[in-house]
Amino acid sequence: MKKIGSIIRLICLFFLSMQTNLLNAQTKTIAQKVDSVLQLMTIEEKVGQLNQYNDDWTATGPVTKDNDKAKQVKEGTVGSLLNCMGAERTRNWQNVAMQSRLKIPLLFGQDVIHGYKTTFPIPLAEAASWDMDAIQLAARIAATEAAASGIHWTFAPMVDIARDPRWGRVMEGAGEDPYLGSMIATARVKGFQGNKLGDLDAVMACAKHFAAYGAAIGGRDYNSVDMSDRLLWEVYLPPFKAAVDAGAATFMNSFNDLNGVPATGNAYLQRTILKGKWNYSGFVVSDWGSIGEMINHGNVKNSYEAALSAITAGSDMDMESRSYKNNLAQLVKENKVPIAFVDDAVKRILQKKFELGLFDDPFRFSNVQRENKVLNDPEHLKIARQVAAKSIVLLKNQNHLLPISKNTKTIAFIGPLVKEVKQNMGFWSIELPDVDYSKFIVTQWQGVQNKISKNSHLLYAKGCDIEGNNKNGFAEAVETAKKADVVIISVGERRDMSGEAKSRSNIHLPGVQEELIKAIQATGKPVVVLINAGRPLIFNWTADHVPAIVYSWWLGTAAGDAIADVLFGDYNPSAKLPISFPREEGQIPVYYSHFNTGRPAHNDSDLNYVSAYTDLSNSPRYAFGYGLSYSNFKYSNLQLSKSKMRSDETIEVSLQISNIGNYAGEETVQLYLRDRVGSIVRPVKELKDFKKLFLNAGETKTIRFMIDQQKLSFYNQQLQWVAEPGDFDLMIGSSSDDIRLKESFELLN
Ligand code: GLC
């Protein structure tokens, strides 16, 4: 018996070692292949892999004119193209790359930020959904369409925390909060990258802009950022760490200097944190020309020094500045840059080209038949409509003016955005040459027409332009309103008034739009105002006087239908603001997770030596986490499993949510904590968890949260991640300024 047992053990060991060798062979295959290609490469070919050019479809930065790109691709001195789209066009460029000595395939990158052919709501709008499944699904569809069009890599998600709505790129991110921003970063990375890289519906994600780009002083794009390392770690880095943990294939660094060092030359960010502490194995692409821009920053004297600084700091690929192309080989030859830095960057890039399967088949993403099929999948439009409806925020609904009955006899639809087509796509949307957007996009006018009964009559008047002082259209608009039973007014920005290089010092409703609203409100008709924008706008008169206000951001291809779904009650609005809305620009930055200060103001009339404005309320016009429903939700029965916990223990939190309204709907229950005393003062509240749940009218559900040490921790003076013993307040709210239930507990030593 013993003999048989030892034979069986031997056989098992044999197969186990075979399998291990095979497994090792497979896992080492890509690493080995990368090394084998690297050994064949000249220094010029290595530098070529670090060189990325813009193709000629469009430009998303200042263009350098040179027309020998094809020649350089043939010479193997270009590693990637951006703004090159379409199965055919990418196939043609890949054919050029296959004429190079080593036939290393090109990577095609594109800003697929919120959709490719099917445009989804701008990211800030999607963030308002607080629906991670919806956000992930939108990214999944964007990736599916982009990959079918030959794109390997999207320069998304943008995960910059932003607390200054003067900054135009606030539209591109997930708002002001690191917890919500981290959850959304995870959802978007997973959505873009799908099951695994190499699948034909997956594209590489790119977490950007590393780092703290959203904290530009004065909200002025590209401006300096100056903050403590503690604030950087506590607020601005968490979404990037979440992206690393979600497996983001690439990073993009940012234009700004951080504490005087441009991000693209910032070794603390890229080597110490990203590739060191976080052990990141992907690659970092510079933002457009940002390596060369280190000269403008006054951080380096010339392109030669820029290349030296950037490669040393861990910038792997040079988008459009040509600094690496023109200097890196010489820097290596002069022993200013160890070849190991170049080899590390090249290996990181080749690794992704292998993972995408491009060495096996460079043309695998460039299939025209698949492209046509995927880009015309009607399911995508259906999902776009659902995600859009989930992104619409109901800000005000006095006397239940909304939803409007579909049988309303006469509705006036007034304003400069009612019949706009492409405005609905927002900034960072992609316009494909062969799409007739007048037919593809559902305008707001069309959406309402699709919704109302055939006996209803829809009247239109433009009223005014988005900008300018011309009020000549007011009279017609007022007369039109007088004929109606209810008036919908659609106002806002133009889509290119927020986005990159679109910072604004004045974020009031532009032009004479608010005067148009006043004129129509004066008719005494019931008025609903729809606001379309890429950022929080200021509209105090409207907020104080108009009975119903809906924030619809920019919702994409299905905008009109989604807006009508909400206005006429086919979708009960559930969105919550991911960013605070200021009352005036002078209040900026205003955000919910502020410190208490030594002289907190307890209300607006308390002005006696307290931290407050004497001419304006301290509170935002609309708070982070705010958003109404056609229903009402009752919070009750908050219970904690214990009132004291040790650092290795947890507390279970349970409560009941009841839909006490007449509509089925979703509520986002938000859990905030306050650490009452800390070695670093702690915010008056911080979002630590949330749950979005559906409830039928009259339904009650019990929900649970878990409090662990992680949720109690923060970065102390020494940048250690610590939870300090003491008392904590736990707040459950429907908004950061609408706390429904409270409890407290103690963290023991
Ligand atoms: C732009 C943006 C960046 C984008 C890149 C390529 O300047 O800053 O977000 O991905 O260039 O278009």
PDB file of all heavy atoms in Angstrom, residues 386-418:
ATOM      1  N   GLN A 386     -31.456  55.439 -21.084  1.00  0.00           N
ATOM      2  CA  GLN A 386     -31.627  55.080 -19.661  1.00  0.00           C
ATOM      3  C   GLN A 386     -30.579  55.787 -18.794  1.00  0.00           C
ATOM      4  O   GLN A 386     -30.890  56.370 -17.760  1.00  0.00           O
ATOM      5  CB  GLN A 386     -31.510  53.563 -19.475  1.00  0.00           C
ATOM      6  CG  GLN A 386     -32.657  52.777 -20.092  1.00  0.00           C
ATOM      7  CD  GLN A 386     -32.296  51.315 -20.295  1.00  0.00           C
ATOM      8  OE1 GLN A 386     -31.190  50.861 -19.953  1.00  0.00           O
ATOM      9  NE2 GLN A 386     -33.214  50.548 -20.874  1.00  0.00           N
ATOM     10  N   VAL A 387     -29.331  55.767 -19.264  1.00  0.00           N
ATOM     11  CA  VAL A 387     -28.259  56.420 -18.486  1.00  0.00           C
ATOM     12  C   VAL A 387     -28.507  57.920 -18.414  1.00  0.00           C
ATOM     13  O   VAL A 387     -28.330  58.547 -17.374  1.00  0.00           O
ATOM     14  CB  VAL A 387     -26.879  56.125 -19.105  1.00  0.00           C
ATOM     15  CG1 VAL A 387     -25.775  56.870 -18.362  1.00  0.00           C
ATOM     16  CG2 VAL A 387     -26.591  54.627 -19.109  1.00  0.00           C
ATOM     17  N   ALA A 388     -28.996  58.487 -19.505  1.00  0.00           N
ATOM     18  CA  ALA A 388     -29.260  59.932 -19.530  1.00  0.00           C
ATOM     19  C   ALA A 388     -30.351  60.299 -18.533  1.00  0.00           C
ATOM     20  O   ALA A 388     -30.213  61.245 -17.749  1.00  0.00           O
ATOM     21  CB  ALA A 388     -29.637  60.372 -20.937  1.00  0.00           C
ATOM     22  N   ALA A 389     -31.418  59.519 -18.510  1.00  0.00           N
ATOM     23  CA  ALA A 389     -32.513  59.829 -17.575  1.00  0.00           C
ATOM     24  C   ALA A 389     -32.037  59.758 -16.138  1.00  0.00           C
ATOM     25  O   ALA A 389     -32.400  60.581 -15.296  1.00  0.00           O
ATOM     26  CB  ALA A 389     -33.664  58.845 -17.797  1.00  0.00           C
ATOM     27  N   LYS A 390     -31.130  58.797 -15.881  1.00  0.00           N
ATOM     28  CA  LYS A 390     -30.615  58.630 -14.506  1.00  0.00           C
ATOM     29  C   LYS A 390     -29.702  59.790 -14.084  1.00  0.00           C
ATOM     30  O   LYS A 390     -29.371  59.935 -12.918  1.00  0.00           O
ATOM     31  CB  LYS A 390     -29.819  57.320 -14.402  1.00  0.00           C
ATOM     32  CG  LYS A 390     -30.646  56.041 -14.388  1.00  0.00           C
ATOM     33  CD  LYS A 390     -29.736  54.837 -14.534  1.00  0.00           C
ATOM     34  CE  LYS A 390     -30.554  53.551 -14.462  1.00  0.00           C
ATOM     35  NZ  LYS A 390     -30.740  53.077 -13.062  1.00  0.00           N
ATOM     36  N   SER A 391     -29.266  60.582 -15.084  1.00  0.00           N
ATOM     37  CA  SER A 391     -28.302  61.655 -14.812  1.00  0.00           C
ATOM     38  C   SER A 391     -28.960  63.009 -14.568  1.00  0.00           C
ATOM     39  O   SER A 391     -28.291  63.976 -14.218  1.00  0.00           O
ATOM     40  CB  SER A 391     -27.322  61.773 -15.995  1.00  0.00           C
ATOM     41  OG  SER A 391     -26.709  60.514 -16.253  1.00  0.00           O
ATOM     42  N   ILE A 392     -30.269  63.068 -14.800  1.00  0.00           N
ATOM     43  CA  ILE A 392     -30.993  64.345 -14.710  1.00  0.00           C
ATOM     44  C   ILE A 392     -31.343  64.649 -13.257  1.00  0.00           C
ATOM     45  O   ILE A 392     -31.933  63.820 -12.559  1.00  0.00           O
ATOM     46  CB  ILE A 392     -32.274  64.283 -15.564  1.00  0.00           C
ATOM     47  CG1 ILE A 392     -31.916  64.128 -17.041  1.00  0.00           C
ATOM     48  CG2 ILE A 392     -33.129  65.525 -15.344  1.00  0.00           C
ATOM     49  CD1 ILE A 392     -33.117  63.865 -17.951  1.00  0.00           C
ATOM     50  N   VAL A 393     -30.978  65.860 -12.808  1.00  0.00           N
ATOM     51  CA  VAL A 393     -31.202  66.226 -11.400  1.00  0.00           C
ATOM     52  C   VAL A 393     -32.427  67.139 -11.285  1.00  0.00           C
ATOM     53  O   VAL A 393     -32.493  68.190 -11.921  1.00  0.00           O
ATOM     54  CB  VAL A 393     -29.970  66.940 -10.820  1.00  0.00           C
ATOM     55  CG1 VAL A 393     -30.151  67.159  -9.312  1.00  0.00           C
ATOM     56  CG2 VAL A 393     -28.701  66.137 -11.065  1.00  0.00           C
ATOM     57  N   LEU A 394     -33.361  66.718 -10.462  1.00  0.00           N
ATOM     58  CA  LEU A 394     -34.529  67.566 -10.159  1.00  0.00           C
ATOM     59  C   LEU A 394     -34.146  68.497  -9.010  1.00  0.00           C
ATOM     60  O   LEU A 394     -33.952  68.038  -7.884  1.00  0.00           O
ATOM     61  CB  LEU A 394     -35.727  66.689  -9.779  1.00  0.00           C
ATOM     62  CG  LEU A 394     -37.007  67.440  -9.391  1.00  0.00           C
ATOM     63  CD1 LEU A 394     -37.501  68.330 -10.531  1.00  0.00           C
ATOM     64  CD2 LEU A 394     -38.110  66.452  -8.975  1.00  0.00           C
ATOM     65  N   LEU A 395     -34.016  69.780  -9.293  1.00  0.00           N
ATOM     66  CA  LEU A 395     -33.554  70.731  -8.269  1.00  0.00           C
ATOM     67  C   LEU A 395     -34.722  71.338  -7.502  1.00  0.00           C
ATOM     68  O   LEU A 395     -34.575  71.709  -6.342  1.00  0.00           O
ATOM     69  CB  LEU A 395     -32.715  71.844  -8.913  1.00  0.00           C
ATOM     70  CG  LEU A 395     -31.395  71.430  -9.557  1.00  0.00           C
ATOM     71  CD1 LEU A 395     -30.725  72.646 -10.213  1.00  0.00           C
ATOM     72  CD2 LEU A 395     -30.456  70.812  -8.533  1.00  0.00           C
ATOM     73  N   LYS A 396     -35.850  71.484  -8.169  1.00  0.00           N
ATOM     74  CA  LYS A 396     -37.000  72.134  -7.507  1.00  0.00           C
ATOM     75  C   LYS A 396     -38.277  71.658  -8.173  1.00  0.00           C
ATOM     76  O   LYS A 396     -38.309  71.443  -9.380  1.00  0.00           O
ATOM     77  CB  LYS A 396     -36.853  73.653  -7.651  1.00  0.00           C
ATOM     78  CG  LYS A 396     -37.832  74.482  -6.846  1.00  0.00           C
ATOM     79  CD  LYS A 396     -37.508  75.976  -6.988  1.00  0.00           C
ATOM     80  CE  LYS A 396     -38.492  76.851  -6.237  1.00  0.00           C
ATOM     81  NZ  LYS A 396     -38.209  78.295  -6.458  1.00  0.00           N
ATOM     82  N   ASN A 397     -39.317  71.476  -7.358  1.00  0.00           N
ATOM     83  CA  ASN A 397     -40.599  71.024  -7.928  1.00  0.00           C
ATOM     84  C   ASN A 397     -41.724  71.472  -7.000  1.00  0.00           C
ATOM     85  O   ASN A 397     -42.354  70.662  -6.334  1.00  0.00           O
ATOM     86  CB  ASN A 397     -40.602  69.515  -8.102  1.00  0.00           C
ATOM     87  CG  ASN A 397     -41.824  69.064  -8.905  1.00  0.00           C
ATOM     88  OD1 ASN A 397     -42.419  69.850  -9.650  1.00  0.00           O
ATOM     89  ND2 ASN A 397     -42.205  67.805  -8.743  1.00  0.00           N
ATOM     90  N   GLN A 398     -41.949  72.782  -6.963  1.00  0.00           N
ATOM     91  CA  GLN A 398     -42.974  73.349  -6.068  1.00  0.00           C
ATOM     92  C   GLN A 398     -44.359  72.902  -6.498  1.00  0.00           C
ATOM     93  O   GLN A 398     -44.650  72.831  -7.705  1.00  0.00           O
ATOM     94  CB  GLN A 398     -42.915  74.882  -6.123  1.00  0.00           C
ATOM     95  CG  GLN A 398     -42.564  75.522  -4.799  1.00  0.00           C
ATOM     96  CD  GLN A 398     -42.157  76.980  -5.027  1.00  0.00           C
ATOM     97  OE1 GLN A 398     -42.383  77.533  -6.099  1.00  0.00           O
ATOM     98  NE2 GLN A 398     -41.519  77.567  -4.032  1.00  0.00           N
ATOM     99  N   ASN A 399     -45.182  72.537  -5.523  1.00  0.00           N
ATOM    100  CA  ASN A 399     -46.580  72.152  -5.775  1.00  0.00           C
ATOM    101  C   ASN A 399     -46.680  71.032  -6.819  1.00  0.00           C
ATOM    102  O   ASN A 399     -47.638  70.978  -7.586  1.00  0.00           O
ATOM    103  CB  ASN A 399     -47.411  73.356  -6.248  1.00  0.00           C
ATOM    104  CG  ASN A 399     -47.160  74.565  -5.363  1.00  0.00           C
ATOM    105  OD1 ASN A 399     -47.055  74.395  -4.132  1.00  0.00           O
ATOM    106  ND2 ASN A 399     -46.979  75.731  -5.972  1.00  0.00           N
ATOM    107  N   HIS A 400     -45.651  70.218  -6.860  1.00  0.00           N
ATOM    108  CA  HIS A 400     -45.690  69.048  -7.753  1.00  0.00           C
ATOM    109  C   HIS A 400     -46.058  69.432  -9.178  1.00  0.00           C
ATOM    110  O   HIS A 400     -46.852  68.758  -9.838  1.00  0.00           O
ATOM    111  CB  HIS A 400     -46.684  68.005  -7.203  1.00  0.00           C
ATOM    112  CG  HIS A 400     -46.382  67.568  -5.793  1.00  0.00           C
ATOM    113  ND1 HIS A 400     -45.257  66.820  -5.477  1.00  0.00           N
ATOM    114  CD2 HIS A 400     -47.010  67.837  -4.625  1.00  0.00           C
ATOM    115  CE1 HIS A 400     -45.223  66.623  -4.154  1.00  0.00           C
ATOM    116  NE2 HIS A 400     -46.274  67.240  -3.619  1.00  0.00           N
ATOM    117  N   LEU A 401     -45.482  70.527  -9.620  1.00  0.00           N
ATOM    118  CA  LEU A 401     -45.761  70.965 -10.997  1.00  0.00           C
ATOM    119  C   LEU A 401     -45.336  69.872 -11.987  1.00  0.00           C
ATOM    120  O   LEU A 401     -45.989  69.609 -12.982  1.00  0.00           O
ATOM    121  CB  LEU A 401     -45.017  72.272 -11.278  1.00  0.00           C
ATOM    122  CG  LEU A 401     -45.031  72.784 -12.712  1.00  0.00           C
ATOM    123  CD1 LEU A 401     -46.448  72.897 -13.244  1.00  0.00           C
ATOM    124  CD2 LEU A 401     -44.335  74.130 -12.779  1.00  0.00           C
ATOM    125  N   LEU A 402     -44.220  69.217 -11.642  1.00  0.00           N
ATOM    126  CA  LEU A 402     -43.753  68.064 -12.437  1.00  0.00           C
ATOM    127  C   LEU A 402     -44.216  66.797 -11.719  1.00  0.00           C
ATOM    128  O   LEU A 402     -44.316  66.778 -10.491  1.00  0.00           O
ATOM    129  CB  LEU A 402     -42.220  68.090 -12.522  1.00  0.00           C
ATOM    130  CG  LEU A 402     -41.612  69.174 -13.398  1.00  0.00           C
ATOM    131  CD1 LEU A 402     -40.100  69.196 -13.215  1.00  0.00           C
ATOM    132  CD2 LEU A 402     -41.972  68.967 -14.845  1.00  0.00           C
ATOM    133  N   PRO A 403     -44.438  65.712 -12.470  1.00  0.00           N
ATOM    134  CA  PRO A 403     -44.391  65.604 -13.940  1.00  0.00           C
ATOM    135  C   PRO A 403     -45.589  66.258 -14.614  1.00  0.00           C
ATOM    136  O   PRO A 403     -46.658  66.353 -14.019  1.00  0.00           O
ATOM    137  CB  PRO A 403     -44.385  64.097 -14.168  1.00  0.00           C
ATOM    138  CG  PRO A 403     -45.103  63.514 -12.987  1.00  0.00           C
ATOM    139  CD  PRO A 403     -44.772  64.422 -11.833  1.00  0.00           C
ATOM    140  N   ILE A 404     -45.360  66.681 -15.858  1.00  0.00           N
ATOM    141  CA  ILE A 404     -46.387  67.296 -16.687  1.00  0.00           C
ATOM    142  C   ILE A 404     -47.230  66.175 -17.299  1.00  0.00           C
ATOM    143  O   ILE A 404     -46.701  65.136 -17.675  1.00  0.00           O
ATOM    144  CB  ILE A 404     -45.720  68.118 -17.825  1.00  0.00           C
ATOM    145  CG1 ILE A 404     -44.773  69.161 -17.248  1.00  0.00           C
ATOM    146  CG2 ILE A 404     -46.772  68.777 -18.709  1.00  0.00           C
ATOM    147  CD1 ILE A 404     -43.860  69.793 -18.298  1.00  0.00           C
ATOM    148  N   SER A 405     -48.524  66.398 -17.398  1.00  0.00           N
ATOM    149  CA  SER A 405     -49.384  65.379 -18.019  1.00  0.00           C
ATOM    150  C   SER A 405     -49.129  65.344 -19.538  1.00  0.00           C
ATOM    151  O   SER A 405     -48.999  66.369 -20.195  1.00  0.00           O
ATOM    152  CB  SER A 405     -50.855  65.716 -17.784  1.00  0.00           C
ATOM    153  OG  SER A 405     -51.649  65.000 -18.711  1.00  0.00           O
ATOM    154  N   LYS A 406     -49.072  64.121 -20.068  1.00  0.00           N
ATOM    155  CA  LYS A 406     -48.860  63.964 -21.512  1.00  0.00           C
ATOM    156  C   LYS A 406     -50.063  64.495 -22.297  1.00  0.00           C
ATOM    157  O   LYS A 406     -49.958  64.735 -23.500  1.00  0.00           O
ATOM    158  CB  LYS A 406     -48.650  62.482 -21.861  1.00  0.00           C
ATOM    159  CG  LYS A 406     -47.385  61.893 -21.260  1.00  0.00           C
ATOM    160  CD  LYS A 406     -47.367  60.382 -21.418  1.00  0.00           C
ATOM    161  CE  LYS A 406     -46.219  59.774 -20.629  1.00  0.00           C
ATOM    162  NZ  LYS A 406     -46.286  58.303 -20.587  1.00  0.00           N
ATOM    163  N   ASN A 407     -51.181  64.643 -21.595  1.00  0.00           N
ATOM    164  CA  ASN A 407     -52.411  65.109 -22.275  1.00  0.00           C
ATOM    165  C   ASN A 407     -52.628  66.607 -22.124  1.00  0.00           C
ATOM    166  O   ASN A 407     -53.700  67.108 -22.452  1.00  0.00           O
ATOM    167  CB  ASN A 407     -53.623  64.343 -21.723  1.00  0.00           C
ATOM    168  CG  ASN A 407     -53.483  62.847 -21.935  1.00  0.00           C
ATOM    169  OD1 ASN A 407     -53.109  62.414 -23.034  1.00  0.00           O
ATOM    170  ND2 ASN A 407     -53.654  62.064 -20.876  1.00  0.00           N
ATOM    171  N   THR A 408     -51.605  67.289 -21.609  1.00  0.00           N
ATOM    172  CA  THR A 408     -51.756  68.747 -21.475  1.00  0.00           C
ATOM    173  C   THR A 408     -52.145  69.343 -22.825  1.00  0.00           C
ATOM    174  O   THR A 408     -51.511  69.011 -23.849  1.00  0.00           O
ATOM    175  CB  THR A 408     -50.412  69.350 -21.011  1.00  0.00           C
ATOM    176  OG1 THR A 408     -50.061  68.716 -19.775  1.00  0.00           O
ATOM    177  CG2 THR A 408     -50.517  70.856 -20.823  1.00  0.00           C
ATOM    178  N   LYS A 409     -53.140  70.198 -22.842  1.00  0.00           N
ATOM    179  CA  LYS A 409     -53.670  70.669 -24.134  1.00  0.00           C
ATOM    180  C   LYS A 409     -52.622  71.454 -24.921  1.00  0.00           C
ATOM    181  O   LYS A 409     -52.333  71.158 -26.080  1.00  0.00           O
ATOM    182  CB  LYS A 409     -54.917  71.517 -23.868  1.00  0.00           C
ATOM    183  CG  LYS A 409     -55.722  71.880 -25.115  1.00  0.00           C
ATOM    184  CD  LYS A 409     -57.106  72.434 -24.727  1.00  0.00           C
ATOM    185  CE  LYS A 409     -57.837  72.953 -25.971  1.00  0.00           C
ATOM    186  NZ  LYS A 409     -57.032  74.051 -26.608  1.00  0.00           N
ATOM    187  N   THR A 410     -51.994  72.430 -24.266  1.00  0.00           N
ATOM    188  CA  THR A 410     -51.018  73.246 -25.003  1.00  0.00           C
ATOM    189  C   THR A 410     -49.777  73.454 -24.144  1.00  0.00           C
ATOM    190  O   THR A 410     -49.881  73.880 -22.993  1.00  0.00           O
ATOM    191  CB  THR A 410     -51.613  74.628 -25.350  1.00  0.00           C
ATOM    192  OG1 THR A 410     -52.845  74.427 -26.048  1.00  0.00           O
ATOM    193  CG2 THR A 410     -50.662  75.434 -26.225  1.00  0.00           C
ATOM    194  N   ILE A 411     -48.646  73.124 -24.714  1.00  0.00           N
ATOM    195  CA  ILE A 411     -47.364  73.286 -24.022  1.00  0.00           C
ATOM    196  C   ILE A 411     -46.503  74.219 -24.849  1.00  0.00           C
ATOM    197  O   ILE A 411     -46.390  74.054 -26.075  1.00  0.00           O
ATOM    198  CB  ILE A 411     -46.649  71.926 -23.850  1.00  0.00           C
ATOM    199  CG1 ILE A 411     -47.476  70.957 -23.002  1.00  0.00           C
ATOM    200  CG2 ILE A 411     -45.254  72.126 -23.234  1.00  0.00           C
ATOM    201  CD1 ILE A 411     -46.917  69.529 -22.992  1.00  0.00           C
ATOM    202  N   ALA A 412     -45.917  75.218 -24.215  1.00  0.00           N
ATOM    203  CA  ALA A 412     -44.956  76.091 -24.912  1.00  0.00           C
ATOM    204  C   ALA A 412     -43.553  75.639 -24.536  1.00  0.00           C
ATOM    205  O   ALA A 412     -43.270  75.420 -23.356  1.00  0.00           O
ATOM    206  CB  ALA A 412     -45.171  77.541 -24.490  1.00  0.00           C
ATOM    207  N   PHE A 413     -42.734  75.443 -25.542  1.00  0.00           N
ATOM    208  CA  PHE A 413     -41.352  74.999 -25.314  1.00  0.00           C
ATOM    209  C   PHE A 413     -40.453  76.115 -25.839  1.00  0.00           C
ATOM    210  O   PHE A 413     -40.351  76.319 -27.066  1.00  0.00           O
ATOM    211  CB  PHE A 413     -41.098  73.681 -26.036  1.00  0.00           C
ATOM    212  CG  PHE A 413     -39.957  72.870 -25.481  1.00  0.00           C
ATOM    213  CD1 PHE A 413     -39.699  71.600 -25.977  1.00  0.00           C
ATOM    214  CD2 PHE A 413     -39.130  73.346 -24.472  1.00  0.00           C
ATOM    215  CE1 PHE A 413     -38.658  70.823 -25.479  1.00  0.00           C
ATOM    216  CE2 PHE A 413     -38.070  72.586 -23.976  1.00  0.00           C
ATOM    217  CZ  PHE A 413     -37.851  71.325 -24.472  1.00  0.00           C
ATOM    218  N   ILE A 414     -39.825  76.825 -24.949  1.00  0.00           N
ATOM    219  CA  ILE A 414     -39.165  78.083 -25.307  1.00  0.00           C
ATOM    220  C   ILE A 414     -37.691  78.055 -24.914  1.00  0.00           C
ATOM    221  O   ILE A 414     -37.340  77.480 -23.880  1.00  0.00           O
ATOM    222  CB  ILE A 414     -39.868  79.251 -24.579  1.00  0.00           C
ATOM    223  CG1 ILE A 414     -41.304  79.400 -25.111  1.00  0.00           C
ATOM    224  CG2 ILE A 414     -39.100  80.559 -24.719  1.00  0.00           C
ATOM    225  CD1 ILE A 414     -42.175  80.343 -24.314  1.00  0.00           C
ATOM    226  N   GLY A 415     -36.864  78.694 -25.729  1.00  0.00           N
ATOM    227  CA  GLY A 415     -35.462  78.851 -25.329  1.00  0.00           C
ATOM    228  C   GLY A 415     -34.497  78.499 -26.443  1.00  0.00           C
ATOM    229  O   GLY A 415     -34.852  77.785 -27.384  1.00  0.00           O
ATOM    230  N   PRO A 416     -33.254  78.952 -26.312  1.00  0.00           N
ATOM    231  CA  PRO A 416     -32.252  78.786 -27.381  1.00  0.00           C
ATOM    232  C   PRO A 416     -31.758  77.362 -27.550  1.00  0.00           C
ATOM    233  O   PRO A 416     -31.084  77.053 -28.520  1.00  0.00           O
ATOM    234  CB  PRO A 416     -31.126  79.712 -26.932  1.00  0.00           C
ATOM    235  CG  PRO A 416     -31.283  79.853 -25.459  1.00  0.00           C
ATOM    236  CD  PRO A 416     -32.740  79.751 -25.181  1.00  0.00           C
ATOM    237  N   LEU A 417     -32.068  76.456 -26.608  1.00  0.00           N
ATOM    238  CA  LEU A 417     -31.533  75.090 -26.745  1.00  0.00           C
ATOM    239  C   LEU A 417     -32.599  74.080 -27.142  1.00  0.00           C
ATOM    240  O   LEU A 417     -32.310  72.905 -27.331  1.00  0.00           O
ATOM    241  CB  LEU A 417     -30.851  74.688 -25.432  1.00  0.00           C
ATOM    242  CG  LEU A 417     -29.515  75.419 -25.223  1.00  0.00           C
ATOM    243  CD1 LEU A 417     -29.070  75.384 -23.780  1.00  0.00           C
ATOM    244  CD2 LEU A 417     -28.449  74.850 -26.135  1.00  0.00           C
ATOM    245  N   VAL A 418     -33.842  74.533 -27.290  1.00  0.00           N
ATOM    246  CA  VAL A 418     -34.956  73.608 -27.549  1.00  0.00           C
ATOM    247  C   VAL A 418     -34.724  72.793 -28.819  1.00  0.00           C
ATOM    248  O   VAL A 418     -34.925  71.570 -28.809  1.00  0.00           O
ATOM    249  CB  VAL A 418     -36.269  74.386 -27.675  1.00  0.00           C
ATOM    250  CG1 VAL A 418     -37.395  73.463 -28.135  1.00  0.00           C
ATOM    251  CG2 VAL A 418     -36.624  75.056 -26.361  1.00  0.00           C
TER     252      VAL A 418
END
